[in-house]
Amino acid sequence: MQEKFSFKPGYRGRSIFRICNGIFMALLVVSMLIPLMKVLSDSFDRSTTYGINLWPQNPSIVAYKTIFSAKALYRPLLISFLTTSAGTFLGLLFSTLGAYVLIQKDLIGRRFFAFFIFFTMIFSGGLVPTYLVIKNLGMTNTLWAVILPPSLNVYNMFLMKNFFEQIPESLFESASIDGASPMIVFARIVLPLSLPALASIGLFFGVQFWNDFFNYVIYITNPDLYNFQVKLRELILSEQNLTDPSIVGFGNSVRNAAIIVAMIPPMIIYPFCQRYFITGITMGAVKE
């Protein structure tokens, strides 16, 4: 006797959802890839015509030669690497130490401090009071003005706090019984178990410091302290840097090449952090 095949309840609805979801994600990927492909294509295109061209009509690398041969960009590039490295390190240091303090249940006033810190994430003083604080501290026209304030990120601190709270308390108790101090527990137990969160938040800080432009314009007036992003903008907007007969008329190519060059460091670092990225975000953003 032939058995009659029947679908489980809801099978058809789930299938339709998966198909629609796949189509939506495919369209979303295409909508993001097309602008990137256009920028990459225009960076290698000698023509100055505008339009959606996903392949260069007149291939040339003169725009990249213009950027990499500009000696005025060497010092800003070094400053960008310096501020990104120092800012990411300090940001991780402040975030991990602050989060570790907030998970100490025997800390007097722990809820008050947590609320006070969380309040600053929602309500800030604004641009003018922040500038006056930086100025009165004597940090204007120094790299500390673009390193210290962004490294104090409350959102990342609470992400790290939520991640620390996922660590079993039995590990802390066992270490305390063995005579380990809180800092030894932090260095030998908490940090090694927090590599996913450290990689994720470190990537946040790295991208933030690398792409920083606004803080340099506000707090720094000395051109020798400008970073790579600011100098790239000057190179794009300055007509005197494009008066060479071999590159005149390539303004559009130089602009697009500058965008690609600025994207290279995050694109190189991201694959190494990808294995930790999803785990760190999902475990740090959700509290049971």
Side-chain angles (χ1 to χ4, degrees):
M1 182 176 179
Q2 186 178 5
E3 295 182 359
K4 185 178 180 180
F5 180 78
S6 62
F7 293 102
K8 294 181 179 180
Y11 177 82
R12 182 174 298 177
R14 289 194 298 270
S15 300
I16 295 175
F17 171 76
R18 290 174 181 174
I19 294 173
C20 295
N21 191 31
I23 295 175
F24 172 75
M25 294 302 297
L27 293 175
L28 184 62
V29 170
V30 170
S31 66
M32 291 186 295
L33 285 179
I34 288 179
L36 292 177
M37 291 296 296
K38 182 188 183 311
V39 172
L40 183 62
S41 173
D42 289 348
S43 66
F44 289 101
D45 199 341
R46 290 184 299 177
S47 61
T48 58
T49 59
Y50 289 88
I52 301 179
N53 299 318
L54 301 183
W55 191 260
Q57 299 177 356
N58 299 310
S60 174
I61 60 173
V62 65
Y64 290 95
K65 288 183 178 179
T66 303
I67 294 176
F68 289 111
S69 63
K71 295 183 179 180
L73 294 178
Y74 295 164
R75 180 183 176 89
L77 181 62
L78 180 62
I79 292 176
S80 287
F81 280 118
L82 175 64
T83 55
T84 300
S85 302
T88 302
F89 173 77
L90 290 178
L92 289 174
L93 180 65
F94 296 150
S95 298
T96 52
L97 289 177
Y100 184 64
V101 170
L102 292 178
I103 67 171
Q104 304 299 319
K105 295 184 178 180
D106 57 348
L107 175 66
I108 300 176
R110 181 169 69 100
R111 293 183 178 274
F112 169 77
F113 291 121
F115 174 78
F116 187 79
I117 296 174
F118 178 76
F119 184 83
T120 62
M121 184 175 68
I122 303 177
F123 302 99
S124 62
L127 178 61
V128 175
T130 303
Y131 176 82
L132 293 177
V133 170
I134 299 297
K135 182 179 180 180
N136 291 331
L137 291 175
M139 292 195 301
T140 53
N141 272 330
T142 65
L143 293 180
W144 290 114
V146 296
I147 294 177
L148 279 181
S151 63
L152 298 171
N153 192 300
V154 179
Y155 175 76
N156 291 338
M157 183 186 298
F158 275 93
L159 277 181
M160 190 67 71
K161 172 181 174 293
N162 293 337
F163 187 89
F164 287 169
E165 290 177 344
Q166 308 297 323
I167 301 176
E169 294 185 9
S170 58
L171 294 177
F172 298 100
E173 295 174 356
S174 300
S176 300
I177 293 174
D178 292 339
S181 65
M183 292 307 299
I184 293 179
V185 174
F186 174 74
R188 296 188 178 183
I189 296 178
V190 175
L191 290 184
L193 294 176
S194 305
L195 289 180
L198 291 174
S200 303
I201 295 177
L203 182 62
F204 288 163
F205 277 117
V207 173
Q208 173 187 348
F209 281 102
W210 177 259
N211 292 329
D212 191 8
F213 171 82
F214 183 76
N215 289 326
Y216 286 87
V217 176
I218 295 297
Y219 301 123
I220 294 180
T221 57
N222 184 4
D224 293 334
L225 297 179
Y226 283 157
N227 69 340
F228 190 63
Q229 308 294 340
V230 178
K231 285 296 183 179
L232 270 182
R233 180 177 180 273
E234 291 183 357
L235 175 65
I236 294 172
L237 298 181
S238 178
E239 294 293 336
Q240 62 191 22
N241 290 322
L242 300 176
T243 56
D244 191 327
S246 61
I247 61 175
V248 67
F250 295 101
N252 186 41
S253 299
V254 173
R255 294 185 184 93
N256 289 281
I259 296 173
I260 298 298
V261 170
M263 290 170 55
I264 290 177
M267 292 176 64
I268 294 176
I269 296 174
Y270 180 77
F272 298 97
C273 300
Q274 185 179 10
R275 55 180 298 188
Y276 303 107
F277 189 73
I278 298 177
T279 303
I281 294 301
T282 55
M283 293 187 67
V286 179
K287 186 179 185 303
E288 297 180 355

